[in-house]
mmCIF file of all heavy atoms in Angstrom:
data_model
loop_
_atom_site.group_PDB
_atom_site.id
_atom_site.type_symbol
_atom_site.label_atom_id
_atom_site.label_comp_id
_atom_site.label_asym_id
_atom_site.label_seq_id
_atom_site.Cartn_x
_atom_site.Cartn_y
_atom_site.Cartn_z
ATOM 1 N N ALA A 973 4.965 -16.386 -14.845
ATOM 2 C CA ALA A 973 5.093 -14.952 -15.112
ATOM 3 C C ALA A 973 6.304 -14.370 -14.385
ATOM 4 O O ALA A 973 7.045 -13.551 -14.940
ATOM 5 C CB ALA A 973 3.819 -14.223 -14.692
ATOM 6 N N VAL A 974 6.512 -14.804 -13.145
ATOM 7 C CA VAL A 974 7.672 -14.325 -12.378
ATOM 8 C C VAL A 974 8.963 -14.805 -13.020
ATOM 9 O O VAL A 974 9.943 -14.041 -13.146
ATOM 10 C CB VAL A 974 7.579 -14.797 -10.913
ATOM 11 C CG1 VAL A 974 8.867 -14.480 -10.161
ATOM 12 C CG2 VAL A 974 6.389 -14.153 -10.219
ATOM 13 N N ALA A 975 8.994 -16.071 -13.444
ATOM 14 C CA ALA A 975 10.203 -16.612 -14.069
ATOM 15 C C ALA A 975 10.541 -15.895 -15.374
ATOM 16 O O ALA A 975 11.717 -15.689 -15.705
ATOM 17 C CB ALA A 975 10.019 -18.108 -14.331
ATOM 18 N N ARG A 976 9.525 -15.472 -16.102
ATOM 19 C CA ARG A 976 9.762 -14.860 -17.411
ATOM 20 C C ARG A 976 10.016 -13.356 -17.314
ATOM 21 O O ARG A 976 10.876 -12.824 -18.024
ATOM 22 C CB ARG A 976 8.558 -15.118 -18.314
ATOM 23 C CG ARG A 976 8.737 -14.593 -19.730
ATOM 24 C CD ARG A 976 7.630 -15.066 -20.636
ATOM 25 N NE ARG A 976 7.836 -14.611 -22.013
ATOM 26 C CZ ARG A 976 7.046 -14.925 -23.027
ATOM 27 N NH1 ARG A 976 5.995 -15.725 -22.830
ATOM 28 N NH2 ARG A 976 7.304 -14.465 -24.236
ATOM 29 N N HIS A 977 9.285 -12.678 -16.450
ATOM 30 C CA HIS A 977 9.332 -11.211 -16.429
ATOM 31 C C HIS A 977 9.952 -10.636 -15.162
ATOM 32 O O HIS A 977 10.190 -9.433 -15.089
ATOM 33 C CB HIS A 977 7.926 -10.639 -16.602
ATOM 34 C CG HIS A 977 7.238 -11.079 -17.852
ATOM 35 N ND1 HIS A 977 7.653 -10.684 -19.109
ATOM 36 C CD2 HIS A 977 6.166 -11.912 -18.042
ATOM 37 C CE1 HIS A 977 6.864 -11.239 -20.028
ATOM 38 N NE2 HIS A 977 5.966 -11.985 -19.412
ATOM 39 N N GLY A 978 10.209 -11.462 -14.159
ATOM 40 C CA GLY A 978 10.726 -10.947 -12.904
ATOM 41 C C GLY A 978 9.591 -10.582 -11.959
ATOM 42 O O GLY A 978 8.456 -10.339 -12.388
ATOM 43 N N PRO A 979 9.878 -10.532 -10.650
ATOM 44 C CA PRO A 979 8.804 -10.337 -9.671
ATOM 45 C C PRO A 979 8.098 -8.995 -9.771
ATOM 46 O O PRO A 979 6.858 -8.929 -9.730
ATOM 47 C CB PRO A 979 9.519 -10.508 -8.327
ATOM 48 C CG PRO A 979 10.970 -10.267 -8.612
ATOM 49 C CD PRO A 979 11.181 -10.739 -10.005
ATOM 50 N N PHE A 980 8.841 -7.912 -9.914
ATOM 51 C CA PHE A 980 8.191 -6.610 -9.815
ATOM 52 C C PHE A 980 7.543 -6.164 -11.115
ATOM 53 O O PHE A 980 6.599 -5.378 -11.097
ATOM 54 C CB PHE A 980 9.173 -5.573 -9.274
ATOM 55 C CG PHE A 980 9.432 -5.776 -7.810
ATOM 56 C CD1 PHE A 980 10.616 -6.329 -7.363
ATOM 57 C CD2 PHE A 980 8.460 -5.469 -6.873
ATOM 58 C CE1 PHE A 980 10.839 -6.551 -6.019
ATOM 59 C CE2 PHE A 980 8.668 -5.688 -5.521
ATOM 60 C CZ PHE A 980 9.858 -6.236 -5.088
ATOM 61 N N ARG A 981 8.009 -6.654 -12.250
ATOM 62 C CA ARG A 981 7.263 -6.396 -13.488
ATOM 63 C C ARG A 981 5.949 -7.164 -13.476
ATOM 64 O O ARG A 981 4.931 -6.688 -13.992
ATOM 65 C CB ARG A 981 8.108 -6.768 -14.713
ATOM 66 C CG ARG A 981 9.287 -5.827 -14.930
ATOM 67 C CD ARG A 981 9.994 -6.111 -16.248
ATOM 68 N NE ARG A 981 11.134 -5.216 -16.409
ATOM 69 C CZ ARG A 981 11.068 -3.989 -16.905
ATOM 70 N NH1 ARG A 981 9.889 -3.511 -17.286
ATOM 71 N NH2 ARG A 981 12.150 -3.245 -17.023
ATOM 72 N N THR A 982 5.967 -8.343 -12.880
ATOM 73 C CA THR A 982 4.721 -9.100 -12.718
ATOM 74 C C THR A 982 3.751 -8.351 -11.823
ATOM 75 O O THR A 982 2.556 -8.235 -12.121
ATOM 76 C CB THR A 982 5.030 -10.492 -12.135
ATOM 77 O OG1 THR A 982 5.913 -11.195 -13.008
ATOM 78 C CG2 THR A 982 3.751 -11.296 -11.955
ATOM 79 N N VAL A 983 4.266 -7.815 -10.719
ATOM 80 C CA VAL A 983 3.427 -7.032 -9.814
ATOM 81 C C VAL A 983 2.883 -5.793 -10.521
ATOM 82 O O VAL A 983 1.708 -5.435 -10.367
ATOM 83 C CB VAL A 983 4.230 -6.628 -8.557
ATOM 84 C CG1 VAL A 983 3.445 -5.635 -7.714
ATOM 85 C CG2 VAL A 983 4.566 -7.861 -7.729
ATOM 86 N N PRO A 1025 4.202 -11.668 -5.728
ATOM 87 C CA PRO A 1025 5.622 -11.454 -5.417
ATOM 88 C C PRO A 1025 5.892 -10.314 -4.445
ATOM 89 O O PRO A 1025 7.017 -10.219 -3.937
ATOM 90 C CB PRO A 1025 6.240 -11.174 -6.796
ATOM 91 C CG PRO A 1025 5.325 -11.836 -7.767
ATOM 92 C CD PRO A 1025 3.963 -11.655 -7.183
#
Side-chain angles (χ1 to χ4, degrees):
V974 172
R976 183 171 183 177
H977 303 292
F980 287 105
R981 290 187 181 275
T982 301
V983 171

